[in-house]
């Protein structure tokens, strides 16, 4: 028989918001992807859409779709791990909030395309998701899984 793995399920809500918001935004970015497919394959004037697909704003639209789904998935995974692993509570809150703020990147790309806003949200989101990932990696390498309690 293999080693016993101690499982930990946090009593905190830290992580639940990441899963819920991640799933919700994933649905929206999937629907946006279906819109992009419609514009490329079925919409009147699709030839012009295809011809402009590698330049702004079509290129940015694909970036928003791809990063929106990726960052949504990261939030789902981070949220589940924050609930499951014995992450220190204060660190877990920072990781959770920064991962959620990371979703501002794809949202910011869409606000650039459709509202003409500057790329401030893109930069905030990019830094946030990167810092969340680095903090989580640091927390995991410092974690004592044999103990199964937060440090």
């Amino acid at each position: 028989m293999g080693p016993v793995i101690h499982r930990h399920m946090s009593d905190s809500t830290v992580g639940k918001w990441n899963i819920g918001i991640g799933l919700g935004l994933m649905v929206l970015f999937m629907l946006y992807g279906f819109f992009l497919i419609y514009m490329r394959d079925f919409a009147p004037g699709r030839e012009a859409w295809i011809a402009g697909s590698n330049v702004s704003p079509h290129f940015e639209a694909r970036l928003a779709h791809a990063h929106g789904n990726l960052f949504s998935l990261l939030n789902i995974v981070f949220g589940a791990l924050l609930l499951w692993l014995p992450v220190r509570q204060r660190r877990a809150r920072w990781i959770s909030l920064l991962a959620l703020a990371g979703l501002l990147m794809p949202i910011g790309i869409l606000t650039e395309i459709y509202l003409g806003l500057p790329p401030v949200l893109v930069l905030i989101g990019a830094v946030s998701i990167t810092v969340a990932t680095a903090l989580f990696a640091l927390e995991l390498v410092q974690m004592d899984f044999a103990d199964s309690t937060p440090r």
Side-chain angles (χ1 to χ4, degrees):
M1 188 163 253
V4 175
I5 298 173
H6 298 281
R7 297 184 188 239
H8 169 76
M9 187 63 114
S10 174
D11 294 331
S12 170
T13 59
V14 173
K16 291 179 185 177
W17 282 100
N18 297 82
I19 295 170
I21 292 172
L23 287 168
L25 280 178
M26 184 176 275
V27 168
L28 294 177
F29 280 107
M30 285 176 173
L31 292 172
Y32 186 62
F34 299 148
F35 165 74
L36 295 176
I37 290 169
Y38 167 78
M39 292 301 293
R40 184 195 68 202
D41 294 339
F42 304 107
R46 66 182 175 271
E47 294 80 14
W49 178 272
I50 293 168
S53 67
N54 287 325
V55 294
S56 185
H58 303 297
F59 179 73
E60 283 86 356
R62 293 192 337 250
L63 282 177
H65 167 64
H67 284 85
N69 281 300
L70 172 64
F71 290 5
S72 294
L73 180 61
L74 281 174
N75 266 276
I76 296 163
V77 171
F78 282 16
L81 290 173
L82 288 171
L83 288 170
W84 198 258
L85 295 174
V87 178
R88 292 176 284 185
Q89 195 61 29
R90 183 175 170 161
R91 180 70 56 95
R93 271 189 240 114
W94 273 106
I95 293 166
S96 174
L97 290 172
L98 287 167
L100 287 169
L103 292 165
L104 292 174
M105 182 188 173
I107 292 168
I109 294 170
L110 292 176
T111 63
E112 277 187 84
I113 296 169
Y114 296 109
L115 302 177
L117 296 180
V120 175
L121 294 177
V122 176
L123 297 174
I124 292 169
V127 169
S128 296
I129 197 72
T130 303
V131 172
T133 304
L135 279 176
F136 211 166
L138 184 62
E139 183 70 16
L140 288 172
V141 297
Q142 294 176 348
M143 191 176 291
D144 180 8
F145 286 97
D147 182 13
S148 180
T149 58
R151 299 168 94 197

